[in-house]
Amino acid sequence: MKPEVFVSFTVTIHTSLAIEHEFPNISIDGLQKYILERGPKNFDMPYVVTIKRKNNVVDTDETCKKIPLLHQHDYINNHPIISTEDDCKFDIIMPKLIYAKDVQEYLIKTYGSVGKFDPKEFDPKTPVFFEIFEHTSVGLRNSKTGMPTHMKWRTVNCKPLSKEDIVVDENLNQIWPAKTNKPPVRLVELLNKQTEKVY
């Protein structure tokens, strides 16, 4: 067996449904285009994009001419992948900075109330990241109709951003923790790291 390592990248857009796609190679421009095409449109809430760099160990002595459609992801250049390891992972928050007062306004506009969310618990000058989880459960049966009742409620998860969090705008230019007007250095380094072969 003659193993060789090929690099690939996985991009996951985390919204209500996580959208994931694998690329043999991707640039900053390609990443921006993919996020603009596949990311949420008119989205008021921040969302996370995860970029992973993967090392795929491939057996180049073995070649398969006809690969079943459902198993295409198990091969690189018609050679089977024998193992995969995540090399690096980088999360970015998009596409703007929001603060506790923005979360309050969003909750009132969307749900008519803030529920248990209290904006006074947060520093008004520090941006936050927040997610809303909506829950539904089946309750007791309605005594008149005999049908089960349904309860709906939501949980708001909100945390202040730290200096380790990276926020970028729609052009992938960093706006937190410092506004640099260019993509984050760690993201550029991740996408440019090419010690293995690119297929």
Side-chain angles (χ1 to χ4, degrees):
M1 180 177 79
K2 184 183 174 188
E4 287 191 44
V5 179
F6 290 80
V7 68
S8 64
F9 295 88
T10 302
V11 178
T12 308
I13 301 172
H14 301 276
T15 53
S16 53
L17 293 173
I19 303 166
E20 183 176 289
H21 190 78
E22 187 163 333
F23 299 88
N25 196 10
I26 191 164
S27 64
I28 288 287
D29 291 340
L31 178 61
Q32 179 191 5
K33 182 179 176 192
Y34 176 74
I35 294 170
L36 286 174
E37 288 174 358
R38 299 292 179 96
K41 310 291 185 263
N42 303 320
F43 206 59
D44 292 332
M45 294 184 353
Y47 60 95
V48 174
V49 176
T50 301
I51 301 97
K52 286 184 187 172
R53 183 179 184 277
K54 294 174 20 177
N55 291 324
N56 303 288
V57 181
V58 173
D59 181 0
T60 55
D61 283 343
E62 190 175 326
T63 303
C64 183
K65 297 293 182 192
K66 293 183 180 179
I67 302 170
L69 186 62
L70 293 175
H71 296 281
Q72 297 275 332
H73 63 279
D74 295 329
Y75 292 81
I76 292 177
N77 299 337
N78 290 38
H79 302 296
I81 299 171
I82 53 177
S83 75
T84 299
E85 175 189 70
D86 288 343
D87 181 11
C88 300
K89 176 183 163 190
F90 190 72
D91 290 323
I92 52 175
I93 301 169
M94 297 192 66
K96 60 184 179 181
L97 294 175
I98 63 161
Y99 298 84
K101 65 177 178 53
D102 301 315
V103 176
Q104 180 181 20
E105 289 170 10
Y106 178 84
L107 292 171
I108 290 170
K109 176 183 166 188
T110 307
Y111 300 103
S113 76
V114 295
K116 294 182 179 180
F117 176 76
D118 184 1
K120 293 179 188 140
E121 293 178 4
F122 300 90
D123 179 351
K125 295 179 181 176
T126 302
V128 298
F129 179 79
F130 85 106
E131 301 170 285
I132 298 173
F133 300 98
E134 296 190 357
H135 314 277
T136 305
S137 66
V138 178
L140 299 173
R141 292 190 176 275
N142 183 312
S143 59
K144 294 179 182 174
T145 64
M147 298 298 292
T149 58
H150 292 85
M151 292 177 52
K152 290 186 177 183
W153 74 98
R154 67 187 171 278
T155 305
V156 178
N157 181 18
C158 186
K159 70 176 188 71
L161 295 183
S162 74
K163 298 296 182 188
E164 301 302 312
D165 295 311
I166 304 290
V167 183
V168 298
D169 63 18
E170 63 276 358
N171 297 314
L172 298 185
N173 292 325
Q174 182 176 308
I175 55 178
W176 175 268
K179 188 171 183 177
T180 63
N181 294 321
K182 55 188 176 183
V185 172
R186 284 174 40 212
L187 177 59
V188 173
E189 288 173 350
L190 172 65
L191 298 182
N192 288 338
K193 185 178 175 188
Q194 297 295 337
T195 54
E196 296 81 14
K197 293 187 178 183
V198 177
Y199 66 96

